[in-house]
Amino acid sequence: MAGSALRRLIAEYKQLTNNPPDGILAGPLSDENFFEWEALITGPSGTSFEYGVFVTRLHFPSDYPLSPPKMKFMSEIFHPNVYPDGRVCISILHAPGDDPM
């Protein structure tokens, strides 16, 4: 299963490189491990996050996209969907039946 997940991640990385979304820069931490990514997210203008650049880490499971990635903010951030340790609390990032909320 990891082979199909790797192919999917490589394709998604190429798409992000060719057509990056506004305010987000993301990709693997190294060429040796496409399952660990870093993303930089700029705060949207007109919000209290404006001018901020927030570093996140994503860990993709070997059965991605059937299971969601784990996401954690490495930068300090106060947001209702981010736990104090930086883990993101959004139901789409939890396996079915595994949502603590």
Side-chain angles (χ1 to χ4, degrees):
M1 178 86 50
S4 60
L6 178 60
R7 285 190 297 277
R8 170 80 179 247
L9 288 168
I10 290 170
E12 289 181 7
Y13 178 60
K14 287 180 182 176
Q15 183 179 3
L16 281 170
T17 303
N18 293 332
N19 190 16
D22 290 338
I24 298 175
L25 179 63
L29 285 170
S30 74
D31 291 338
E32 288 80 39
N33 185 357
F34 258 75
F35 291 89
E36 298 288 336
W37 287 34
E38 182 173 75
L40 304 175
I41 303 170
T42 57
S45 59
T47 71
S48 58
F49 301 106
E50 187 173 18
Y51 306 115
V53 177
F54 305 96
V55 179
T56 67
R57 292 279 170 91
L58 292 110
H59 171 78
F60 295 88
S62 60
D63 64 344
Y64 177 78
L66 299 176
S67 293
K70 294 189 185 310
M71 182 176 175
K72 182 176 182 178
F73 277 88
M74 306 310 286
S75 303
E76 192 172 317
I77 185 170
F78 179 77
H79 189 278
N81 291 102
V82 178
Y83 291 116
D85 68 358
R87 288 177 300 130
V88 176
C89 174
I90 300 175
S91 61
I92 62 171
L93 293 180
H94 299 288
D98 190 32
D99 189 347
M101 302 313 270

